[in-house]
Structure formats: structure tokens, C-alpha cells
């Protein structure tokens, strides 16, 4: 298997990138929680990013309401701390 070169690497250009729109940020049990609001096919959706000492990840990729997203994020954090 040969090494990729610039000529044979496909470059994907995203015409309309999805930037985070953080609408709420708070701390919960030592984690930094950020609520993101986006849109999918005209419907408002929510996701939650959680930061902790080892990095950042999406704890809730999709929720239909902000309350649901926050509830799921807190449950995600509680489960990680209870392990």
C-alpha cells in the first residue's frame, strides 16, 4: 500500500458549515456543560457538549427541547461519575 500524495487525496469542501451556537453554559459536578441550538430540516434541535479534564465530547447529540438536552446531559455526567 503506497502513501497518499496530494494528487490522489480527495478534498471535501462544505458549502454551509454548521458552527456551534451555544445558548447556555453552566457547570455541573465539575464538568463544563454547553447547550448548542441548531436546525435540521427546519426544526430546532439541541445538543450538549461536555468538557472535563481529559477533553470535550458530545454528551447529547440530539434532543428536541432544551430541557430534554439538559436532563440527558446531567444523566450522562452522573453515569460517568458513578462508574
Amino acid at each position: 500500500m503506497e502513501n497518499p500524495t496530494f494528487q490522489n487525496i480527495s478534498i471535501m469542501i462544505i458549502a454551509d458549515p454548521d458552527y456551534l451556537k451555544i445558548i447556555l453554559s453552566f457547570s455541573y459536578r465539575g464538568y463544563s456543560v454547553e447547550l448548542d441550538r441548531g436546525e435540521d430540516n427546519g426544526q430546532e434541535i439541541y445538543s450538549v457538549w461536555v468538557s472535563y479534564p481529559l477533553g470535550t465530547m458530545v454528551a447529547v447529540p440530539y434532543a428536541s427541547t432544551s430541557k430534554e438536552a439538559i436532563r440527558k446531559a446531567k444523566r450522562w455526567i452522573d453515569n460517568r461519575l458513578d462508574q
Side-chain angles (χ1 to χ4, degrees), residues 22-28 31-36 48-49 51 70:
I22 303 300
I23 60 170
L24 178 66
S25 181
F26 61 94
S27 292
Y28 179 73
Y31 288 67
S32 173
V33 180
E34 296 180 320
L35 179 65
D36 171 47
V48 179
W49 292 78
S51 297
I70 292 169

Side-chain angles (χ1 to χ4, degrees), residues 8-29:
N8 64 9
I9 295 177
S10 301
I11 298 175
M12 186 173 92
I13 298 175
I14 300 172
D16 188 18
D18 187 21
Y19 297 104
L20 291 177
K21 296 170 193 78
I22 303 300
I23 60 170
L24 178 66
S25 181
F26 61 94
S27 292
Y28 179 73
R29 297 186 69 183

Side-chain angles (χ1 to χ4, degrees), residues 44-48 60-70 72:
E44 202 165 76
I45 59 170
Y46 299 87
S47 60
V48 179
V60 181
Y62 172 85
S64 55
T65 67
S66 59
K67 285 184 180 184
E68 176 190 9
I70 292 169
K72 286 181 175 182

